Amino acid sequence: MTIHEELQRTRTALLALEKSLMSLRNQLGAHIDVLRLLDDLERCATDLGRLEDQIQVPARRELMVIPDDDRDHGLWGAGDVDHEGVGAPGRRAP
């Protein structure tokens, strides 16, 4: 199932839940727990809308090309730089 199908399935489930909660509110009146559930449902619907907006407009990322050619070894100093894992040139391990 694609992400868009999942989002639509979630939207449909929220609408079904809203219909059920409205029916409960009509039967029970303004019961505090039903009202809290309706508030939670509104927040979920808002969050789902934001998620749908983010999914439909993917962020564009600019790729950075790193060349495979040789590096300028002059950038590493005047030869007095420690070599990774080896130590400085001409120096011996104890």
Side-chain angles (χ1 to χ4, degrees):
M1 194 176 282
T2 68
I3 188 69
H4 296 291
E5 291 170 338
E6 286 292 342
L7 289 170
Q8 182 58 42
R9 188 172 150 188
T10 305
R11 174 69 61 194
T12 302
L14 285 178
L15 291 173
L17 180 59
E18 180 182 26
K19 184 177 178 181
S20 295
L21 289 174
M22 295 302 279
S23 178
L24 279 174
R25 190 182 72 178
N26 291 338
Q27 291 177 18
L28 299 174
H31 192 280
I32 187 69
D33 291 327
V34 174
L35 295 176
R36 287 180 62 201
L37 285 169
L38 284 168
D39 285 343
D40 291 343
L41 179 69
E42 183 179 344
R43 181 184 48 80
C44 288
T46 301
D47 291 345
L48 180 63
R50 279 191 236 153
L51 183 60
E52 289 170 334
D53 290 344
Q54 291 173 12
I55 298 297
Q56 291 177 4
V57 183
R60 294 188 178 233
R61 296 182 184 173
E62 194 170 314
L63 295 178
M64 178 186 292
V65 178
I66 300 174
D68 289 335
D69 55 345
D70 287 334
R71 306 281 183 235
D72 180 9
H73 294 287
L75 295 174
W76 300 107
D80 59 348
V81 179
D82 287 349
H83 294 285
E84 183 177 331
V86 177
R91 206 177 329 164
R92 295 183 52 150

